Amino acid sequence: MQPIVRFLRGFGRFWYDFIVGDDPKIAIGVAVVLGVGGVLVARETVSSEALVVVLAALLLTAFTVTMALDVSRHQRLRA
């Protein structure tokens, strides 16, 4: 295999593991929250202070939903 191809493959694997890690649901939740934030910034519909509060609440909600899904799945597997 060419050295440049090995480098690119390793580079891609590193960033995938760094961003997604063990749970792709969290990475998807963060991406969705950042997308919502980008739309809200582009439309200038909310103030910057309110935007921080909204995005923090959305991020906390996404994380909570992800954890609830994982816990319920784990409990069903143990039963």
Side-chain angles (χ1 to χ4, degrees), residues 42-76:
R43 291 184 173 212
E44 299 177 2
T45 55
V46 291
S47 68
S48 59
E49 295 86 6
L51 181 64
V52 169
V53 171
V54 167
L55 293 180
L58 286 174
L59 193 58
L60 182 62
T61 302
F63 183 73
T64 303
V65 167
T66 300
M67 289 296 111
L69 289 173
D70 285 344
V71 167
S72 68
R73 182 176 55 112
H74 182 70
Q75 287 177 347
R76 278 182 295 168

Side-chain angles (χ1 to χ4, degrees), residues 1-78:
M1 190 178 324
Q2 299 279 340
I4 190 73
V5 173
R6 273 194 312 227
F7 171 77
L8 290 174
R9 182 174 287 163
F11 188 75
R13 285 182 182 170
F14 165 76
W15 281 107
Y16 178 83
D17 190 43
F18 182 74
I19 294 171
V20 174
D22 293 333
D23 194 0
K25 291 184 297 289
I26 293 175
I28 291 170
V30 169
V32 167
V33 169
L34 288 175
V36 168
V39 169
L40 291 175
V41 166
R43 291 184 173 212
E44 299 177 2
T45 55
V46 291
S47 68
S48 59
E49 295 86 6
L51 181 64
V52 169
V53 171
V54 167
L55 293 180
L58 286 174
L59 193 58
L60 182 62
T61 302
F63 183 73
T64 303
V65 167
T66 300
M67 289 296 111
L69 289 173
D70 285 344
V71 167
S72 68
R73 182 176 55 112
H74 182 70
Q75 287 177 347
R76 278 182 295 168
L77 291 175
R78 290 184 65 174

